[in-house]
Amino acid sequence: MPTNLLRNLPSVNELLESPQLKGLVSKLSHNTVVARVRSFLDDLRSEVQTAAAEIKLPSVSELAEKIAQRILVGDEPPLRPVINATGVLLHTGLGRAPLADEAIAAMAAVARDYASVELDLASGRRSQRVVAVEGLLTELTGAEAAMVVNNNAGATMLALAAVAAGREVIVSRGQLIEIGGSYRLPDVMATSGAALREVGTTNRTRIDDYARAISERTAALLLVHPSNFVVAGFAESVTLTELVQLGHERHLCVIHDIGSGALVDFAQFGCTGEPVAAASVKQGADLVLFSGDKLLGGPQCGVIVGRQSLVDQITGHPLTRALRVDKLTLAALAATLRLYRDPAMARRSVPLLQLLSTSIENLKGRAERLAPQMAGGAIKAAEAVEDVTYLGGGSVPTQQLRTWCVALTSEGMSVDRLATRLRTGRPSVVGRVHDERLYLDLRSVFPRQDIDLVAAVRALGDGEAM
Ligand SMILES: *Cc1c(COP(=O)(O)O)cnc(C)c1O
């Protein structure tokens, strides 16, 4: 019986005549729309054939509307802006640090036109692309020299390859870190060609452990900031100062991977224990490595600062070419670094620092104002609640940031369904599920996004999204 229905299905041409699809043909392309209409009809045919009971076919115009919706949703780019209501400020899944307006403008300027990437405009001669940021990096960290690569994983691999390939690098067993799945220090080191020489135990490593492991095969001592975990209780580790003293007595290079790339003291934001790049340089680390898109609040990149001779050695390594950054990254990094010349300016203009320094009263006031605007429709209850959140992106997990959220519960929708609907909505909103409620955490939401956040929640009442 149901197969009789197949004869009543409209043809591709009939559907293309509908105003909805005609409009799409002019926006996208004829071929794209025809292909999507065909695949929709194929799906519908198999649905009809396998249906247990008789199903009612929608009208041609209803069908065209459905197809148009499906095409529009399918045409959205997978990479698009998101309102981060997770509360996690450096969320790797959400692209870590948002950029300052100054950085965005600098990127746009060099993107549109040709740029002096490797040309010294004064002499007309070839230059190194790092000159765009080297002066700023040495000024802000006190180091002799600097260079930039694709990310900190790349910086670590490159530094080890250039300084220690075929030789040993001594690392504490308590610092063999994993940062989110694909970054595991032992694997990075193996790939660099340097041999890992582990010393100490998981919870305790002393300076004598390093001293005893030094041999003629040793090239460097590596200190890694254990950014995303803490060893509490019966624990002991060496300080950078101790390691520098030992390394320099034995003529070894001391490398400090500080991870998060703080250029200012984050204690002012309530985050203690984050190593500051300039402090590492001052304490005598020969190379200091960090990410550009963590606490620095800039574009994805990995920064290497340190002694001129070592940076030259690194720059000459073939991997440098494979890990090099483009003009957009250089422009964004330079503009972000320029803001740090005046710490008060950085605090005002670097989005990460803005979010971190938002007062708890501001967050509370916004949560209390937004909650009643979100209630109603699909939302049964919206309540302003105080909570704690974290920096994220490989920062110390014990450091909690105070925050305020709007906690949502829905009428007739599970909390997971609610989260999915908001994620796939326009704009896309990512919250966090906690105690059977969806928390929209304002710590990571810019005040300019409040209106859109409310609109996204209100839009849930407008029937099921596709
Ligand atoms: C985050 C981190 C890395 C990796 O940096 P990416 O920029 O993500 O490649 C390496 N080491 C430490 C200590 C980190 O915190």
Side-chain angles (χ1 to χ4, degrees), residues 396-443:
V396 181
T398 47
Q399 294 210 349
Q400 299 182 332
L401 300 170
R402 287 177 65 198
T403 190
W404 275 79
C405 311
V406 180
L408 303 177
T409 40
S410 163
E411 188 78 71
M413 236 193 288
S414 71
V415 66
D416 289 334
R417 177 81 190 127
L418 181 60
T420 306
R421 288 279 309 278
L422 275 174
R423 265 200 326 273
T424 53
R426 268 144 297 238
S428 169
V429 174
V430 185
R432 70 165 182 270
V433 173
H434 181 61
D435 277 346
E436 293 304 307
R437 293 200 283 182
L438 184 67
Y439 276 50
L440 301 181
D441 189 326
L442 298 181
R443 174 59 72 187

Side-chain angles (χ1 to χ4, degrees), residues 92 96 150-154 156 177 179 183 224-228 257-260 290-294 300-302 393-395:
T92 302
R96 295 196 186 155
N150 182 59
N151 57 10
N152 193 20
T156 308
I177 57 166
I179 309 269
Y183 181 101
V224 184
H225 177 56
S227 353
N228 56 358
D257 174 8
I258 64 170
S260 45
F290 52 93
S291 302
D293 54 350
K294 290 185 181 170
Q300 178 194 303
C301 61
S395 57

Side-chain angles (χ1 to χ4, degrees), residues 21-197:
L21 292 176
K22 257 196 184 148
L24 277 182
V25 167
S26 56
K27 252 201 272 174
L28 305 170
S29 82
H30 182 77
N31 289 350
T32 308
V33 176
V34 169
R36 303 288 175 82
V37 170
R38 287 222 171 92
S39 91
F40 187 95
L41 287 177
D42 287 345
D43 290 351
L44 191 60
R45 257 182 225 110
S46 48
E47 208 181 301
V48 168
Q49 278 166 336
T50 56
E54 192 155 326
I55 56 176
K56 192 173 163 299
L57 268 191
S59 70
V60 174
S61 120
E62 281 168 346
L63 273 179
E65 181 58 35
K66 270 198 166 171
I67 298 171
Q69 281 301 328
R70 202 202 262 193
I71 293 176
L72 282 173
V73 170
D75 206 52
E76 295 225 355
L79 173 61
R80 52 187 150 123
V82 163
I83 296 183
N84 175 10
T86 63
V88 178
L89 293 175
L90 293 171
H91 195 299
T92 302
L94 298 180
R96 295 196 186 155
L99 293 177
D101 288 340
E102 289 80 352
I104 297 163
M107 283 171 96
V110 298
R112 200 177 296 117
D113 289 312
Y114 294 99
S116 53
V117 179
E118 289 185 2
L119 179 71
D120 177 46
L121 295 175
S123 67
R125 275 200 285 273
R126 181 93 190 250
S127 71
Q128 298 271 351
R129 61 178 60 209
V130 74
V131 297
V133 290
E134 185 174 26
L136 284 159
L137 283 168
T138 53
E139 175 188 332
L140 292 167
T141 62
E144 287 171 20
M147 69 170 301
V148 178
V149 290
N150 182 59
N151 57 10
N152 193 20
T156 308
M157 191 182 298
L158 174 62
L160 293 171
V163 170
R167 298 171 69 200
E168 285 182 359
V169 176
I170 304 178
V171 193
S172 160
R173 288 199 169 87
Q175 295 174 0
L176 296 175
I177 57 166
E178 169 172 322
I179 309 269
S182 55
Y183 181 101
R184 295 181 132 190
L185 186 62
D187 299 342
V188 171
M189 199 173 286
T191 311
S192 76
L196 171 62
R197 179 80 163 82

